[in-house]
Protein backbone atom coordinates (compact mmCIF):
# COMPACT_ATOMS: atom_id res chain seq x y z
CA UNK A 1 0.00 0.00 0.00
CA UNK A 2 2.74 2.40 1.04
CA UNK A 3 4.51 1.79 -2.21
CA UNK A 4 1.51 2.78 -4.33
CA UNK A 5 0.83 5.96 -2.39
CA UNK A 6 4.43 6.99 -2.45
CA UNK A 7 4.91 6.48 -6.15
CA UNK A 8 1.60 7.84 -7.37
CA UNK A 9 2.32 10.30 -10.16
CA UNK A 10 5.65 11.02 -8.53
CA UNK A 11 3.90 13.21 -5.91
CA UNK A 12 6.17 14.85 -3.41
CA UNK A 13 5.69 13.44 0.05
CA UNK A 14 4.90 16.93 1.37
CA UNK A 15 1.46 16.28 -0.08
CA UNK A 16 1.12 13.39 2.30
CA UNK A 17 -0.21 15.17 5.38
CA UNK A 18 -0.73 11.77 6.88
CA UNK A 19 3.06 11.34 7.21
CA UNK A 20 3.11 12.98 10.62
CA UNK A 21 0.57 10.49 11.99
CA UNK A 22 2.38 7.43 10.77
CA UNK A 23 4.32 5.16 13.06
CA UNK A 24 7.07 5.03 10.44
CA UNK A 25 9.74 7.56 9.65
CA UNK A 26 9.53 8.90 6.10
CA UNK A 27 12.24 10.80 4.27
CA UNK A 28 13.16 11.61 0.69
CA UNK A 29 16.73 11.63 -0.53
CA UNK A 30 17.15 13.11 -3.97
CA UNK A 31 19.78 12.03 -6.44
CA UNK A 32 22.02 14.98 -5.46
CA UNK A 33 21.90 13.74 -1.88
CA UNK A 34 19.55 16.41 -0.54
CA UNK A 35 17.59 14.99 2.35
CA UNK A 36 14.03 16.01 3.16
CA UNK A 37 12.41 14.69 6.31
CA UNK A 38 8.68 14.12 5.99
CA UNK A 39 7.98 13.59 9.64
CA UNK A 40 9.71 13.98 12.99
CA UNK A 41 10.04 10.25 13.42
CA UNK A 42 12.32 10.11 10.37
CA UNK A 43 14.57 12.67 12.03
CA UNK A 44 14.73 10.68 15.22
CA UNK A 45 15.39 7.37 13.46
CA UNK A 46 18.15 8.90 11.37
CA UNK A 47 19.45 10.88 14.32
CA UNK A 48 19.10 14.06 12.25
CA UNK A 49 17.83 17.32 13.72
CA UNK A 50 16.80 19.06 10.45
CA UNK A 51 13.24 20.41 10.37
CA UNK A 52 10.50 18.60 8.48
CA UNK A 53 10.03 19.59 4.83
CA UNK A 54 13.31 21.51 4.39
CA UNK A 55 15.76 19.90 1.99
CA UNK A 56 19.30 19.88 3.32
CA UNK A 57 22.48 18.32 1.94
CA UNK A 58 22.85 14.88 3.49
CA UNK A 59 26.39 15.73 4.56
CA UNK A 60 25.01 18.56 6.69
CA UNK A 61 22.70 16.13 8.46
CA UNK A 62 25.05 13.19 8.91
CA UNK A 63 28.81 13.00 8.95
CA UNK A 64 30.15 11.45 5.78
CA UNK A 65 32.06 8.75 7.64
CA UNK A 66 28.94 7.53 9.42
CA UNK A 67 27.53 4.24 8.29
CA UNK A 68 24.07 5.74 7.89
CA UNK A 69 25.48 8.30 5.46
CA UNK A 70 27.30 5.74 3.38
CA UNK A 71 24.36 3.37 3.35
CA UNK A 72 21.93 6.08 2.19
CA UNK A 73 24.32 7.48 -0.42
CA UNK A 74 24.94 4.01 -1.79
CA UNK A 75 21.22 3.28 -1.90
CA UNK A 76 20.53 6.38 -4.02
CA UNK A 77 23.71 5.95 -6.08
CA UNK A 78 22.70 2.44 -7.07
CA UNK A 79 18.93 3.00 -6.89
CA UNK A 80 18.54 0.09 -4.51
CA UNK A 81 14.94 -0.63 -3.60
CA UNK A 82 15.00 -2.43 -0.25
CA UNK A 83 12.17 -4.32 1.36
CA UNK A 84 12.34 -5.07 5.07
CA UNK A 85 16.07 -4.41 5.26
CA UNK A 86 17.07 -4.63 8.91
CA UNK A 87 19.83 -2.17 9.70
CA UNK A 88 21.70 -1.71 12.90
CA UNK A 89 22.70 1.88 13.44
CA UNK A 90 24.77 3.27 16.22
CA UNK A 91 23.14 6.28 17.86
CA UNK A 92 25.29 8.02 20.42
CA UNK A 93 26.23 5.17 22.73
CA UNK A 94 23.21 3.03 21.87
CA UNK A 95 22.29 0.76 19.02
CA UNK A 96 19.08 0.94 17.08
CA UNK A 97 17.53 -1.61 14.77
CA UNK A 98 15.58 -0.05 11.93
CA UNK A 99 13.44 -1.83 9.36
CA UNK A 100 13.75 -0.05 6.02
CA UNK A 101 11.89 0.02 2.72
CA UNK A 102 13.06 2.26 -0.08
CA UNK A 103 11.36 3.30 -3.30
CA UNK A 104 12.67 5.02 -6.42
CA UNK A 105 10.84 8.13 -7.45
CA UNK A 106 10.52 8.75 -11.16
CA UNK A 107 9.65 12.27 -12.33
CA UNK A 108 9.15 13.58 -15.87
CA UNK A 109 12.95 13.75 -16.21
CA UNK A 110 13.44 10.23 -14.94
CA UNK A 111 14.89 9.17 -11.60
CA UNK A 112 14.75 11.97 -9.04
CA UNK A 113 15.62 10.22 -5.82
CA UNK A 114 14.34 7.74 -3.28
CA UNK A 115 11.76 7.61 -0.54
CA UNK A 116 12.85 5.85 2.61
CA UNK A 117 10.39 4.33 5.09
CA UNK A 118 11.80 3.43 8.46
CA UNK A 119 10.37 1.52 11.38
CA UNK A 120 12.03 1.28 14.77
CA UNK A 121 12.52 -2.29 15.86
CA UNK A 122 14.08 -1.48 19.21
CA UNK A 123 16.21 -4.28 20.57
CA UNK A 124 13.61 -7.00 20.19
CA UNK A 125 14.63 -8.38 16.84
CA UNK A 126 18.16 -8.96 18.06
CA UNK A 127 16.99 -10.73 21.20
CA UNK A 128 14.60 -12.96 19.31
CA UNK A 129 17.19 -13.84 16.67
CA UNK A 130 19.68 -14.73 19.33
CA UNK A 131 17.25 -16.98 21.16
CA UNK A 132 16.34 -18.79 17.97
CA UNK A 133 19.98 -19.27 17.05
CA UNK A 134 20.89 -20.64 20.47
CA UNK A 135 18.01 -23.13 20.38
CA UNK A 136 18.91 -24.28 16.88
CA UNK A 137 22.56 -24.67 17.78
CA UNK A 138 21.77 -26.76 20.83
CA UNK A 139 19.77 -29.20 18.69
CA UNK A 140 22.36 -29.37 15.94
CA UNK A 141 25.06 -29.81 18.55
CA UNK A 142 23.38 -32.90 19.96
CA UNK A 143 22.95 -34.51 16.56
CA UNK A 144 26.48 -33.61 15.50
CA UNK A 145 28.03 -35.07 18.64
CA UNK A 146 26.31 -38.41 18.01
CA UNK A 147 27.23 -38.70 14.36
CA UNK A 148 30.71 -37.21 14.48
CA UNK A 149 32.16 -40.00 16.62
CA UNK A 150 30.59 -42.68 14.48
CA UNK A 151 32.33 -41.15 11.46
CA UNK A 152 35.65 -40.42 13.11
CA UNK A 153 36.35 -43.95 14.34
CA UNK A 154 36.14 -45.78 10.99
CA UNK A 155 37.98 -42.87 9.34
CA UNK A 156 40.89 -43.33 11.72
CA UNK A 157 41.11 -47.00 10.80
CA UNK A 158 40.93 -46.31 7.04
CA UNK A 159 43.51 -43.53 7.36
CA UNK A 160 45.91 -45.80 9.22
CA UNK A 161 45.65 -48.53 6.59
CA UNK A 162 46.09 -46.07 3.73
CA UNK A 163 49.20 -44.67 5.36
CA UNK A 164 50.62 -48.20 5.51
CA UNK A 165 49.86 -48.65 1.81
CA UNK A 166 51.47 -45.35 1.00
CA UNK A 167 54.70 -46.35 2.74
CA UNK A 168 54.64 -49.68 0.93
CA UNK A 169 54.18 -48.05 -2.49
CA UNK A 170 56.87 -45.52 -1.67
CA UNK A 171 59.37 -48.22 -0.82
CA UNK A 172 58.44 -50.20 -3.96
CA UNK A 173 58.58 -47.03 -6.05
CA UNK A 174 55.05 -47.59 -7.43
CA UNK A 175 54.39 -43.99 -8.35
CA UNK A 176 50.86 -44.03 -9.80
CA UNK A 177 49.26 -46.06 -6.99
CA UNK A 178 51.09 -44.00 -4.42
CA UNK A 179 49.58 -40.82 -5.87
CA UNK A 180 46.07 -42.31 -5.70
CA UNK A 181 46.59 -43.15 -2.06
CA UNK A 182 47.85 -39.65 -1.36
CA UNK A 183 44.68 -38.18 -2.84
CA UNK A 184 42.61 -40.54 -0.68
CA UNK A 185 44.51 -39.39 2.40
CA UNK A 186 43.91 -35.73 1.54
CA UNK A 187 40.21 -36.36 1.11
CA UNK A 188 40.05 -38.22 4.41
CA UNK A 189 41.78 -35.29 6.07
CA UNK A 190 39.11 -32.98 4.68
CA UNK A 191 36.35 -35.14 6.13
CA UNK A 192 38.27 -35.24 9.41
CA UNK A 193 38.44 -31.43 9.48
CA UNK A 194 34.72 -31.28 8.93
CA UNK A 195 34.14 -33.76 11.75
CA UNK A 196 36.39 -31.70 14.03
CA UNK A 197 34.30 -28.61 13.22
CA UNK A 198 31.11 -30.52 13.98
CA UNK A 199 32.53 -31.64 17.30
CA UNK A 200 33.56 -28.10 18.10
CA UNK A 201 30.02 -27.03 17.45
CA UNK A 202 28.71 -29.83 19.60
CA UNK A 203 31.09 -29.77 22.52
CA UNK A 204 32.24 -26.34 23.53
CA UNK A 205 31.79 -27.37 27.18
CA UNK A 206 35.27 -28.86 27.05
CA UNK A 207 36.42 -25.30 27.46
CA UNK A 208 38.98 -24.23 29.96
CA UNK A 209 38.28 -20.64 30.91
CA UNK A 210 40.92 -18.67 32.75
CA UNK A 211 41.56 -14.94 33.13
CA UNK A 212 42.95 -14.10 29.69
CA UNK A 213 44.27 -11.13 27.80
CA UNK A 214 42.54 -10.91 24.43
CA UNK A 215 45.27 -8.52 23.32
CA UNK A 216 47.97 -11.12 23.95
CA UNK A 217 45.96 -13.82 22.24
CA UNK A 218 45.43 -11.67 19.15
CA UNK A 219 49.13 -10.72 19.13
CA UNK A 220 49.98 -14.42 19.05
CA UNK A 221 47.90 -14.81 15.89
CA UNK A 222 49.51 -11.87 14.12
CA UNK A 223 52.29 -13.70 12.27
CA UNK A 224 49.86 -16.30 10.96
CA UNK A 225 47.33 -13.71 9.81
CA UNK A 226 49.96 -11.50 8.22
CA UNK A 227 51.59 -14.27 6.22
CA UNK A 228 48.21 -15.40 4.88
CA UNK A 229 47.31 -11.78 4.07
CA UNK A 230 50.53 -11.31 2.16
CA UNK A 231 49.69 -14.25 -0.08
CA UNK A 232 46.25 -12.80 -0.75
CA UNK A 233 47.45 -9.21 -1.33
CA UNK A 234 45.52 -8.00 1.67
CA UNK A 235 46.73 -5.16 3.89
CA UNK A 236 46.25 -5.79 7.60
CA UNK A 237 45.77 -2.95 10.07
CA UNK A 238 45.97 -3.62 13.76
CA UNK A 239 44.45 -1.29 16.34
CA UNK A 240 45.04 -3.17 19.53
CA UNK A 241 44.51 -1.20 22.71
CA UNK A 242 45.38 -2.74 26.01
CA UNK A 243 42.20 -4.21 27.45
CA UNK A 244 41.17 -5.68 30.81
CA UNK A 245 41.26 -9.44 31.29
CA UNK A 246 38.24 -11.58 30.42
CA UNK A 247 37.24 -15.14 31.32
CA UNK A 248 38.25 -17.03 28.24
CA UNK A 249 39.52 -20.24 26.82
CA UNK A 250 42.44 -18.92 24.77
CA UNK A 251 42.36 -21.78 22.26
CA UNK A 252 38.65 -21.35 21.58
CA UNK A 253 38.93 -17.61 21.38
CA UNK A 254 41.73 -17.92 18.84
CA UNK A 255 39.49 -20.21 16.84
CA UNK A 256 36.85 -17.45 16.79
CA UNK A 257 39.32 -14.80 15.64
CA UNK A 258 40.73 -17.09 12.97
CA UNK A 259 37.27 -18.00 11.67
CA UNK A 260 36.36 -14.32 11.37
CA UNK A 261 39.67 -13.41 9.78
CA UNK A 262 39.36 -16.33 7.34
CA UNK A 263 35.88 -15.20 6.31
CA UNK A 264 37.10 -11.62 5.92
CA UNK A 265 39.98 -12.71 3.71
CA UNK A 266 37.78 -15.00 1.65
CA UNK A 267 35.42 -12.06 1.10
CA UNK A 268 38.26 -9.96 -0.37
CA UNK A 269 39.10 -12.06 -3.38
CA UNK A 270 40.84 -9.17 -5.14
CA UNK A 271 42.66 -7.90 -2.08
CA UNK A 272 41.61 -5.17 0.30
CA UNK A 273 42.09 -4.06 3.88
CA UNK A 274 41.57 -6.21 6.93
CA UNK A 275 41.28 -4.28 10.18
CA UNK A 276 41.50 -5.97 13.55
CA UNK A 277 40.70 -3.68 16.46
CA UNK A 278 40.49 -4.18 20.15
CA UNK A 279 39.19 -1.70 22.68
CA UNK A 280 37.11 -1.44 25.81
CA UNK A 281 33.75 0.23 26.27
CA UNK A 282 32.71 0.45 29.90
CA UNK A 283 32.54 -3.11 31.18
CA UNK A 284 32.89 -4.69 27.76
CA UNK A 285 35.93 -5.71 25.78
CA UNK A 286 35.27 -5.30 22.08
CA UNK A 287 37.14 -7.07 19.31
CA UNK A 288 36.32 -6.12 15.73
CA UNK A 289 37.29 -7.80 12.49
CA UNK A 290 36.45 -5.62 9.50
CA UNK A 291 36.98 -6.16 5.80
CA UNK A 292 36.50 -4.15 2.63
CA UNK A 293 34.82 -6.98 0.76
CA UNK A 294 31.44 -6.82 -0.95
CA UNK A 295 29.46 -7.07 2.29
CA UNK A 296 26.59 -9.39 3.14
CA UNK A 297 23.27 -8.84 1.38
CA UNK A 298 20.54 -7.94 3.86
CA UNK A 299 18.45 -10.96 2.88
CA UNK A 300 21.28 -13.27 3.98
CA UNK A 301 21.93 -11.52 7.25
CA UNK A 302 19.64 -13.73 9.30
CA UNK A 303 21.05 -16.91 7.76
CA UNK A 304 24.79 -16.53 8.13
CA UNK A 305 24.81 -17.95 11.67
CA UNK A 306 22.79 -21.00 10.61
CA UNK A 307 24.79 -24.22 10.60
CA UNK A 308 25.62 -25.31 7.05
CA UNK A 309 24.67 -22.00 5.47
CA UNK A 310 27.42 -21.13 3.01
CA UNK A 311 27.73 -19.17 -0.22
CA UNK A 312 31.15 -20.64 -0.96
CA UNK A 313 31.83 -23.55 -3.26
CA UNK A 314 34.06 -25.22 -0.69
CA UNK A 315 32.50 -23.72 2.43
CA UNK A 316 31.12 -25.80 5.28
CA UNK A 317 28.88 -23.14 6.76
CA UNK A 318 30.17 -24.04 10.21
CA UNK A 319 32.59 -21.17 10.90
CA UNK A 320 30.10 -18.62 12.17
CA UNK A 321 27.88 -21.03 14.13
CA UNK A 322 31.03 -22.21 15.90
CA UNK A 323 31.98 -18.60 16.70
CA UNK A 324 28.46 -17.96 17.93
CA UNK A 325 28.52 -21.03 20.13
CA UNK A 326 31.92 -20.27 21.63
CA UNK A 327 31.06 -16.66 22.29
CA UNK A 328 27.77 -17.49 23.94
CA UNK A 329 29.65 -19.95 26.19
CA UNK A 330 31.76 -16.95 27.18
CA UNK A 331 28.61 -14.96 28.03
CA UNK A 332 29.51 -12.62 25.21
CA UNK A 333 27.84 -11.39 22.08
CA UNK A 334 28.68 -11.50 18.40
CA UNK A 335 27.36 -8.80 16.12
CA UNK A 336 27.62 -8.16 12.44
CA UNK A 337 27.19 -5.02 10.47
CA UNK A 338 27.39 -4.92 6.71
CA UNK A 339 26.03 -2.16 4.58
CA UNK A 340 27.29 -3.10 1.17
CA UNK A 341 30.79 -1.71 1.79
CA UNK A 342 32.50 -4.45 3.62
CA UNK A 343 31.60 -6.26 6.78
CA UNK A 344 32.43 -5.81 10.44
CA UNK A 345 32.05 -8.59 12.98
CA UNK A 346 32.21 -7.49 16.61
CA UNK A 347 32.80 -9.71 19.58
CA UNK A 348 31.72 -8.28 22.90
CA UNK A 349 33.00 -9.92 26.06
CA UNK A 350 32.31 -8.89 29.65
CA UNK A 351 35.49 -7.83 31.38
CA UNK A 352 36.60 -9.87 34.33
CA UNK A 353 35.66 -8.25 37.62
CA UNK A 354 38.44 -8.58 40.22
CA UNK A 355 36.01 -10.00 42.81
CA UNK A 356 35.27 -12.93 40.46
CA UNK A 357 38.85 -13.61 39.44
CA UNK A 358 39.00 -16.60 41.78
CA UNK A 359 35.64 -17.96 40.66
CA UNK A 360 35.25 -21.68 40.08
CA UNK A 361 37.28 -22.68 37.09
CA UNK A 362 34.67 -24.12 34.80
CA UNK A 363 35.42 -27.48 33.26
CA UNK A 364 39.14 -26.85 33.21
CA UNK A 365 40.81 -30.17 33.59
P1 LIG B 1 31.79 -20.70 5.33
O1 LIG B 1 32.93 -19.73 5.52
O2 LIG B 1 32.24 -22.12 5.35
O3 LIG B 1 30.91 -20.39 4.17
P2 LIG B 1 30.75 -19.44 7.71
O4 LIG B 1 29.77 -19.90 8.74
O5 LIG B 1 32.08 -19.02 8.18
O6 LIG B 1 30.85 -20.58 6.63
O7 LIG B 1 30.09 -18.21 6.92
C1 LIG B 1 28.78 -18.36 6.38
C2 LIG B 1 28.54 -17.39 5.24
O8 LIG B 1 28.49 -16.04 5.77
C3 LIG B 1 29.60 -17.34 4.19
O9 LIG B 1 29.45 -18.38 3.23
C4 LIG B 1 29.38 -15.95 3.58
O10 LIG B 1 28.30 -15.97 2.67
C5 LIG B 1 28.93 -15.13 4.78
N1 LIG B 1 30.04 -14.35 5.34
C6 LIG B 1 30.69 -14.58 6.50
N2 LIG B 1 31.65 -13.66 6.72
C7 LIG B 1 31.60 -12.80 5.68
C8 LIG B 1 32.32 -11.60 5.31
N3 LIG B 1 33.32 -11.11 6.08
N4 LIG B 1 31.98 -10.97 4.16
C9 LIG B 1 30.98 -11.44 3.39
N5 LIG B 1 30.26 -12.57 3.66
C10 LIG B 1 30.56 -13.23 4.79
MG1 LIG C 1 33.98 -19.48 7.28
Amino acid sequence: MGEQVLRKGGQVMGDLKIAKWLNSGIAFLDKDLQLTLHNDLAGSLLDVSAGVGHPLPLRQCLQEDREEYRWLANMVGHRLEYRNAVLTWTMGHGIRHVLIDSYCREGAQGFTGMFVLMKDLGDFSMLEQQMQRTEKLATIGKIAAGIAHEIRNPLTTVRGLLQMLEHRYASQNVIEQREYVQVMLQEIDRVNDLVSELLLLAKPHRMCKVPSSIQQLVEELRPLVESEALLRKIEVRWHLLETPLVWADAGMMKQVVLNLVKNAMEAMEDGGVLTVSLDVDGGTVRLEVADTGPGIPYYQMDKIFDAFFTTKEKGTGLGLPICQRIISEHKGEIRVSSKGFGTTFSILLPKLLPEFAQEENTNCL
Side-chain angles (χ1 to χ4, degrees):
M1 184 200 80
E3 188 179 5
Q4 280 164 10
V5 175
L6 289 165
R7 288 176 148 199
K8 204 174 194 174
Q11 289 297 305
V12 179
M13 286 294 294
D15 298 352
L16 261 183
K17 304 252 171 4
I18 197 173
K20 69 175 175 192
W21 307 111
L22 288 180
N23 188 23
S24 299
I26 301 178
F28 180 72
L29 185 59
D30 77 13
K31 62 182 191 330
D32 301 319
L33 296 185
Q34 297 273 329
L35 179 75
T36 311
L37 301 177
H38 285 278
N39 56 13
D40 291 329
L41 192 52
S44 118
L45 290 176
L46 284 168
D47 201 16
V48 161
S49 50
V52 170
H54 305 293
L56 270 179
L58 185 63
R59 64 164 58 88
Q60 257 180 43
C61 309
L62 293 167
Q63 278 169 7
E64 283 174 75
D65 59 354
R66 279 185 61 164
E67 280 184 357
E68 293 88 328
Y69 181 97
R70 292 190 295 165
W71 192 88
L72 288 167
N74 183 57
M75 175 195 75
V76 168
H78 293 92
R79 303 180 189 187
L80 301 174
E81 291 209 323
Y82 289 102
R83 297 293 175 270
N84 297 327
V86 180
L87 295 183
T88 308
W89 283 348
T90 315
M91 306 259 162
H93 287 294
I95 278 189
R96 175 168 268 166
H97 303 285
V98 187
L99 188 72
I100 291 201
D101 281 359
S102 59
Y103 302 91
C104 288
R105 178 173 178 243
E106 304 287 338
Q109 259 80 53
F111 176 75
T112 57
M114 298 195 76
F115 288 112
V116 188
L117 262 83
M118 297 162 276
K119 211 163 174 62
D120 190 4
L121 292 178
D123 264 341
F124 297 112
S125 68
M126 179 97 125
L127 208 63
E128 200 181 311
Q129 272 179 21
Q130 262 175 9
M131 276 167 58
Q132 281 176 0
R133 276 189 220 147
T134 313
E135 272 172 29
K136 258 194 217 168
L137 279 179
T139 317
I140 290 167
K142 277 185 207 148
I143 300 171
I147 300 176
H149 280 299
E150 297 307 316
I151 298 173
R152 175 156 280 181
N153 295 342
L155 274 185
T156 312
T157 316
V158 176
R159 197 176 194 291
L161 292 172
L162 282 173
Q163 255 176 338
M164 251 173 55
L165 265 185
E166 205 235 359
H167 289 316
R168 189 170 299 170
Y169 286 141
S171 60
Q172 293 168 356
N173 217 6
V174 188
I175 295 169
E176 200 182 343
Q177 277 85 344
R178 187 181 174 207
E179 279 174 4
Y180 292 154
V181 173
Q182 281 171 340
V183 173
M184 288 186 212
L185 281 169
Q186 278 166 16
E187 293 298 304
I188 288 198
D189 286 345
R190 263 188 45 185
V191 181
N192 254 330
D193 286 349
L194 184 68
V195 172
S196 305
E197 284 196 324
L198 278 172
L199 281 174
L200 210 58
L201 193 63
K203 287 206 161 175
H205 55 265
R206 277 221 203 112
M207 280 195 284
C208 169
K209 284 185 252 167
V210 293
S212 311
S213 154
I214 299 291
Q215 190 199 8
Q216 186 187 333
L217 168 163
V218 174
E219 289 285 357
E220 283 168 15
L221 294 174
R222 253 173 104 144
L224 186 68
V225 173
E226 270 169 4
S227 62
E228 182 67 26
L230 203 65
L231 290 177
R232 294 171 178 259
K233 299 194 172 53
I234 289 170
E235 181 194 336
V236 194
R237 294 183 190 156
W238 304 90
H239 301 294
L240 305 178
L241 295 184
E242 207 170 301
T243 50
L245 297 179
V246 298
W247 268 116
D249 177 314
M252 292 290 160
M253 214 40 96
K254 280 184 183 172
Q255 177 83 43
V256 170
V257 180
L258 285 178
N259 281 358
L260 296 182
V261 164
K262 185 166 175 268
N263 279 345
M265 288 189 179
E266 285 168 354
M268 297 186 283
E269 279 177 3
D270 305 320
V273 182
L274 167 74
T275 311
V276 183
S277 347
L278 185 64
D279 64 6
V280 58
D281 183 7
T284 307
V285 173
R286 182 173 50 207
L287 173 76
E288 284 190 346
V289 177
D291 65 62
T292 53
I296 302 174
Y298 72 88
Y299 54 84
Q300 280 175 3
M301 274 293 200
D302 57 343
K303 300 197 183 76
I304 57 170
F305 289 97
D306 287 354
F308 307 111
F309 173 82
T310 181
T311 52
K312 300 169 194 167
E313 204 186 325
K314 290 202 168 160
T316 59
L318 290 175
L320 288 179
I322 286 173
C323 293
Q324 162 94 29
R325 183 85 201 239
I326 294 174
I327 295 303
S328 80
E329 290 284 322
H330 281 80
K331 299 191 173 56
E333 233 183 86
I334 180 163
R335 290 184 186 160
V336 53
S337 107
S338 184
K339 312 282 158 60
F341 316 89
T343 305
T344 303
F345 279 91
S346 314
I347 303 288
L348 307 174
L349 293 168
K351 78 173 186 193
L352 177 68
L353 299 171
E355 54 269 39
F356 296 123
Q358 301 301 324
E359 211 186 50
E360 65 354 316
N361 203 348
T362 45
N363 306 316
C364 195
L365 300 173

